[in-house]
Amino acid sequence: MTIFADLTQLSVTLILKQTVWCASINPHQVFGFLGTSTMASLLSAQCAASVRGSGGLVRVRAAALGIAKRNCSSKQAYSDQYLHRSVVPSMHYQKSLPRLPIPKLEDTIRRYLAAQRPLLDDDQFRSTEKVAEDFQSGVGKQLHEELVAQDKNNKHTSYISGPWFDMYLSARDSVVLNFNPFMSFNPDPKAKYNDQLVRATNMVCSAVRFMKTLRAGLLEPEVFHLNPAKSDTDRFKRFIRWVPSSLSWYGAYMVNAYPLDMSQYFRLFNSTRIPKRGRDELFTDERGRHLLVMRKGNMYVFDIVDKDGNLVKPAEIQSHLKYILSDPTPAPTFPLGVLTSENRDVWAGLRDKLLAAGNAEHLQIVDSALFCLCLDDESMRDHIHISHNMLHGDGCNRWYDKSFSVILTKDGQAAINFEHSWGDGVAVLRFQNEIFKDTTEQPLVNPGSAAAAVDSASAVRKLQFNLDRELENGIKKAKENFDSAVSKLTIDALEFKRGGKEQLKRSKLSPDAIAQLAFQMGFLRQYGQTVATYESCSTAAFKHGRTETIRPATTHTKKCSYAFVCQPGQHSVEQLQAMLNECSKYHGQLTREAAMGQGFDRHLFALRYLANSKGQALHSLYTDPTYAAINHNILSTSTLTSPAVNLGGFAPVVPDGYGVGYGVHDEWIGCNVSSYPACNVHEFLECVQMSLEDIFTVVEGKPLS
C-alpha cells in the first residue's frame, strides 16, 4: 500500500497555522514493525465477532466541516441537548494515535543550517556551521540521547508537550497582543439573525450543545478523510466503533483516514489561566454550570445548564441576556477585567490582594464559568475596526484569561478570542465551525421569539468585588499600560482579486508557497533584505502533538525574490516560472517534514529545555547571535480558511515585525496584517500587492514590464 502521495495531499491540504493547524503523519513510525496486510488480518480477527453482534444503527448527522472534511450523508432530527450523536466515540482513536517522533540530531542540524543560509553572509554562515557541528558531535549528542531515553519512559505523551506548556505558562508578558489571537465569524446568512440578542442567545445555546456532545462522547472524532467514500460512511463507522481503541487508529489508516489528537478539547470549557508568580496554572472545574457575561466592564453570571445537566430553555437564556443588555448600570470606574491584560507577575500579585480582600468566591465563579460572553455596545465600522475590537478591545469588557471568549458587538459581529497556553487552536476552530453551522442551520431562537417570562433579576447575578485603594491603583495602572500597548498597534488589510487557489493549482503551484513567496518579495521590496520568517504547522496527527515550524525564507525564495524585484528584465518568463516551481516544491517539502514532526525548531527547543532543567550551561549554539536572529521572527504568519471564519488576526511577535494573517481562497487572496511603529504595514501591503501582481503575470505566461 503506497502512502507517500497521500501524505503529500494530507499535509498540504491541512496547512493551517499558529491559531489553527496542519496535520500529517509518517506511517513508518508505526508500521515499521508490522506490514499492512498483517495489520489488516489482525484487525479482522480482533473485530469480526464484535461487528457481527453490533446490533442496530445509530444514524449520524454530518458535523461541521472543521478542517477535516466530513461528507457524512445520513442525518437525523436531534434533540436540543446535542449537536449530533456520533456512532464512533469522540476519543475512540486517542489511545492508538502514533507518537510524535524525535528527529535525528544530524537531520535537525542540517535543516537548521539550511534555514540559516538565506539569512547570513558567507562569513556568518561558516561561523554558525562550525558551532552547529560542534554541538552535534558533543553536548548536543548527549542531550539528544537523554531526550530519547526520557521520551521512551513517557509514552503517554509527546516529548514537546510538557516543555511547550512550560514555555507558555512561564511567559510573563501580557497575554493581550503577545499570545491571544482572534477569529471572527462570518455573518449569519439570514440578516435578521445577526441581531445582537438573537445571535448571542443562539451561540450560547449551541456552545452548551457542543459541550454536552463532547462530554457525552458523542462528538464526531476529528478525522481527516483522504478517501471519504470509504471512511466517512455509516458502514465504516459501525465497523470501527467495535475495534479496540488500542487498535482503532490503524483501522482508520487502512481506509486512508487519519484521526487527529483531541487531548486539548477538555480545556475548552470551565477553564481559566490563573496568574501565579513565575509560572501560571491552568484551572478547570467541570462542575460549573454558569456563563460569565461582560457588558460595559460589569460582570454577570447565570446558569445555562440546569441541575440535571441539561441546557436551560433557550427562551430563558434570551430573557437573561436581554436583561443584561437593558441594565442601565454605568461602566465601573475600576473595571476588574483589565487586570487580566497585565504583566503576569503583576496580575498574580494583584490577584493575591483580591483574594485577601474577600473576593475568593467571586474569582472562583469567574474561573469556573463555562466560558465568557462579551457583549459590546459598539457597532463595527469595517474589517479593521473588527480586528482591533476582537483582538484587544478596550481592555475593560474582557476576561482574557478564560480559555475562550465569544464577543458580540451591537451590530451582531461575532468572534472568538482565546487564551493560547492550553491549546493551539485545533479545538477552538472545531468549536467555531460547529456552532456557526448549528446557529445558522438550526437556530433555537429567531427574531420573532419572545423571551421567557421569568424573573431574570433573580436569576442573573452581578458580581461586585471588594476593592481597596491599592487594587484601584493597580486597575488604573493596568488600564494605562493597556492603552499604551494597543495604541502602538496598526492593522491593515489586502484583498487581491486577480486570482487565487484554483489558478495556482492549475499551474501546479502550491497556493501556500506562493502566498509565502509574496511576503518574502514584499519585504524585500520594502526593506531590501530577507529575514527570519515563521509559519506554524500543527502536529495534531500525533498523540499530544503541538506545533512545528515551517521556515518559508529559503535560498529558493531569496533567489526568486531578487529575480522578480531587483532583476525583472534579466530573466525570461520561463526562467521565472521555473523559479516559482522550485519555491513551490521546496515549500511543500518543508511543510511535509514539519507536519511529520521533522522540523528543527521544536527539537532544538526541547534540547535547550533539557539543558536548562539540569542546570547545565548552554552550548554556544544557543548563545550564537544567529540563533537569536532566526528566532526573532520579523514575519510571523498564519493562514486560515473556513466556512465559519471571516478573518483572523494576531499581533507581531517582535517590535520590528509583522503579524500576517492570510487566506488563499479559490479566486482571491486576503491578508490581515498588524505592525508596531517600527514597521509600516500600509507600505508592506502595497509591496505584497505588487509582488502578487508580478507573480500572477508570470503564472499567466506574460513578461514583467
Side-chain angles (χ1 to χ4, degrees):
M1 185 173 182
T2 303
I3 56 177
F4 291 105
D6 295 341
L7 286 176
T8 302
Q9 181 183 348
L10 177 64
S11 56
V12 171
T13 303
L14 286 180
I15 300 174
L16 286 172
K17 289 7 142 218
Q18 197 153 310
T19 60
V20 202
W21 45 276
C22 171
S24 183
I25 193 162
N26 182 356
H28 292 300
Q29 293 296 326
V30 290
F31 284 105
F33 62 92
L34 189 62
T36 53
S37 59
T38 308
M39 178 57 71
S41 301
L42 177 60
L43 283 170
S44 298
Q46 288 282 336
C47 305
S50 296
V51 172
R52 282 195 295 270
S54 61
L57 164 66
V58 178
R59 305 288 287 176
V60 297
R61 174 176 82 81
L65 284 176
I67 302 304
K69 292 183 180 178
R70 301 174 182 85
N71 297 312
C72 179
S73 59
S74 60
K75 293 187 177 183
Q76 72 168 27
Y78 47 83
S79 75
D80 287 349
Q81 300 300 319
Y82 300 106
L83 293 177
H84 54 250
R85 296 173 182 267
S86 174
V87 172
V88 184
S90 304
M91 300 297 169
H92 187 56
Y93 298 106
Q94 195 67 27
K95 187 175 181 180
S96 56
L97 284 173
R99 300 195 64 227
L100 180 67
I102 299 176
K104 294 179 180 178
L105 184 59
E106 56 267 31
D107 290 340
T108 287
I109 296 302
R110 174 177 52 79
R111 291 169 180 140
Y112 171 68
L113 290 173
Q116 286 281 20
R117 179 68 272 200
L119 309 179
L120 306 176
D121 62 31
D122 290 344
D123 290 339
Q124 290 172 323
F125 183 74
R126 277 192 292 270
S127 174
T128 297
E129 188 176 38
K130 184 178 179 182
V131 169
E133 289 171 352
D134 181 73
F135 177 77
Q136 179 181 333
S137 61
V139 173
K141 182 179 180 181
Q142 297 169 4
L143 289 170
H144 175 78
E145 289 172 355
E146 289 184 47
L147 182 66
V148 170
Q150 193 179 82
D151 185 56
K152 286 180 179 177
N153 291 329
N154 291 277
K155 294 184 177 180
H156 63 285
T157 188
S158 68
Y159 78 92
I160 198 62
S161 181
W164 212 240
F165 274 118
D166 253 7
M167 181 270 293
Y168 270 118
L169 294 172
S170 298
R172 300 294 85 193
D173 293 329
S174 167
V175 297
V176 182
L177 301 187
N178 296 301
F179 296 104
N180 287 29
F182 83 91
M183 296 183 289
S184 70
F185 286 89
N186 276 315
D188 192 303
K190 304 178 292 297
K192 291 183 179 180
Y193 281 80
N194 290 310
D195 172 82
Q196 186 182 26
L197 175 60
V198 171
R199 199 170 199 199
T201 304
N202 280 322
M203 285 195 167
V204 169
C205 293
S206 291
V208 172
R209 283 151 48 77
F210 181 98
M211 180 271 292
K212 284 179 59 62
T213 308
L214 172 66
R215 290 183 179 170
L218 298 174
L219 187 72
E220 279 200 25
E222 194 74 20
V223 179
F224 186 80
H225 300 279
L226 280 176
N227 188 356
K230 280 189 175 181
S231 61
D232 201 8
T233 64
D234 289 341
R235 181 181 179 183
F236 176 74
K237 290 173 183 177
R238 292 197 306 273
F239 164 76
I240 200 66
R241 67 179 293 188
W242 296 109
V243 176
S245 59
S246 58
L247 295 173
S248 55
W249 183 91
Y250 305 98
Y253 165 79
M254 296 302 296
V255 289
N256 252 357
Y258 294 84
L260 305 180
D261 182 78
M262 296 179 71
S263 63
Q264 298 172 5
Y265 277 57
F266 83 100
R267 291 283 189 193
L268 262 173
F269 298 99
N270 302 105
S271 296
T272 302
R273 176 173 175 164
I274 306 294
K276 299 284 184 179
R277 285 185 176 87
R279 185 185 187 277
D280 293 351
E281 295 176 359
L282 292 175
F283 170 86
T284 301
D285 183 356
E286 295 187 356
R287 296 171 298 178
R289 298 187 283 115
H290 55 284
L291 173 71
L292 171 65
V293 183
M294 300 188 72
R295 178 171 175 258
K296 293 183 179 178
N298 295 304
M299 304 172 73
Y300 310 80
V301 293
F302 63 86
D303 286 350
I304 52 177
V305 176
D306 65 23
K307 64 182 187 313
D308 296 320
N310 294 318
L311 171 68
V312 169
K313 292 179 181 178
E316 292 185 20
I317 293 173
Q318 183 180 16
S319 176
H320 301 336
L321 292 176
K322 183 177 181 180
Y323 171 81
I324 292 170
L325 284 168
S326 60
D327 183 6
T329 304
T333 306
F334 300 101
L336 199 68
V338 75
L339 290 180
T340 63
S341 72
E342 257 291 10
N343 169 279
R344 302 307 294 179
D345 281 336
V346 172
W347 172 207
L350 290 168
R351 182 183 168 94
D352 287 343
K353 295 183 187 305
L354 278 167
L355 292 168
N359 297 295
E361 181 195 354
H362 284 3
L363 286 172
Q364 200 280 333
I365 289 172
V366 170
D367 296 338
S368 62
L370 279 160
F371 62 95
C372 181
L373 174 68
C374 305
L375 299 174
D376 291 351
D377 281 359
E378 196 174 5
S379 294
M380 299 291 98
R381 296 183 299 274
D382 52 32
H383 287 326
I384 306 304
H385 192 192
I386 291 172
S387 292
H388 278 290
N389 189 69
M390 305 312 189
L391 181 60
H392 56 76
D394 67 359
C396 301
N397 205 45
R398 303 285 185 271
W399 197 268
Y400 298 106
D401 288 351
K402 287 302 290 181
S403 55
F404 74 89
S405 296
V406 175
I407 304 167
L408 261 295
T409 63
K410 189 174 183 179
D411 56 345
Q413 295 288 344
I416 291 177
N417 180 294
F418 69 96
E419 196 280 313
H420 219 322
S421 66
W422 64 271
D424 301 307
V426 180
V428 179
L429 185 65
R430 172 75 184 275
F431 169 75
Q432 185 159 1
N433 285 328
E434 293 280 8
I435 67 170
F436 179 76
K437 183 178 178 68
D438 195 50
T439 56
T440 55
E441 294 184 3
Q442 303 283 346
L444 297 185
V445 300
N446 59 61
S449 298
V454 294
D455 185 7
S456 292
S458 297
V460 177
R461 179 182 178 187
K462 185 186 296 181
L463 301 181
Q464 302 284 0
F465 289 81
N466 300 320
L467 304 176
D468 58 23
R469 182 63 60 85
E470 191 172 5
L471 285 166
E472 289 176 351
N473 288 337
I475 292 171
K476 181 180 178 183
K477 181 64 175 174
K479 178 61 172 157
E480 291 171 359
N481 291 339
F482 174 89
D483 289 343
S484 175
V486 301
S487 69
K488 297 180 177 70
L489 186 75
T490 302
I491 299 176
D492 199 2
L494 162 71
E495 289 188 3
F496 178 79
K497 297 293 185 68
R498 183 169 166 181
K501 186 191 305 179
E502 292 304 315
Q503 185 175 349
L504 294 171
K505 286 166 68 176
R506 285 195 298 271
S507 299
K508 298 183 179 179
L509 294 171
S510 157
D512 190 66
I514 295 304
Q516 287 290 342
L517 177 61
F519 304 144
Q520 295 298 314
M521 282 189 195
F523 198 89
L524 181 66
R525 285 182 196 274
Q526 188 177 18
Y527 295 105
Q529 63 183 126
T530 298
V531 293
T533 307
Y534 181 101
E535 184 179 7
S536 185
C537 173
S538 173
T539 49
F542 299 96
K543 184 180 292 185
H544 293 189
R546 294 294 303 242
T547 61
E548 184 53 86
T549 305
I550 301 168
R551 293 290 183 171
T554 68
T555 53
H556 300 287
T557 61
K558 186 174 184 178
K559 176 185 175 183
C560 187
S561 296
Y562 269 86
F564 272 73
V565 176
C566 306
Q567 308 160 333
Q570 298 180 26
H571 303 275
S572 68
V573 172
E574 291 76 19
Q575 288 173 324
L576 293 174
Q577 288 177 335
M579 290 182 198
L580 292 179
N581 281 320
E582 283 301 312
C583 291
S584 178
K585 287 179 186 176
Y586 192 65
H587 187 79
Q589 176 187 327
L590 293 179
T591 299
R592 290 189 294 275
E593 289 175 350
M596 292 185 282
Q598 295 296 320
F600 68 84
D601 282 85
R602 298 301 175 265
H603 189 193
L604 290 181
F605 175 86
L607 295 176
R608 178 176 182 168
Y609 181 89
L610 180 58
N612 283 333
S613 69
K614 297 170 60 182
Q616 188 173 314
L618 287 177
H619 185 271
S620 55
L621 174 86
Y622 294 111
T623 57
D624 184 355
T626 63
Y627 181 82
I630 201 172
N631 286 290
H632 185 86
N633 291 298
I634 289 174
L635 288 174
S636 180
T637 69
S638 173
T639 185
L640 171 62
T641 53
S642 160
V645 178
N646 184 19
L647 73 163
F650 51 94
V653 298
V654 294
D656 56 340
Y658 294 110
V660 183
Y662 67 101
V664 184
H665 304 271
D666 287 347
E667 305 298 337
W668 63 284
I669 299 171
C671 301
N672 196 38
V673 185
S674 61
S675 73
Y676 292 119
C679 292
N680 186 330
V681 67
H682 312 299
E683 186 178 275
F684 175 69
L685 283 176
E686 289 176 0
C687 292
V688 171
Q689 172 83 30
M690 292 171 62
S691 299
L692 286 169
E693 293 285 356
D694 284 353
I695 290 170
F696 274 79
T697 293
V698 170
V699 168
E700 292 164 4
K702 302 171 187 175
L704 296 178
S705 56

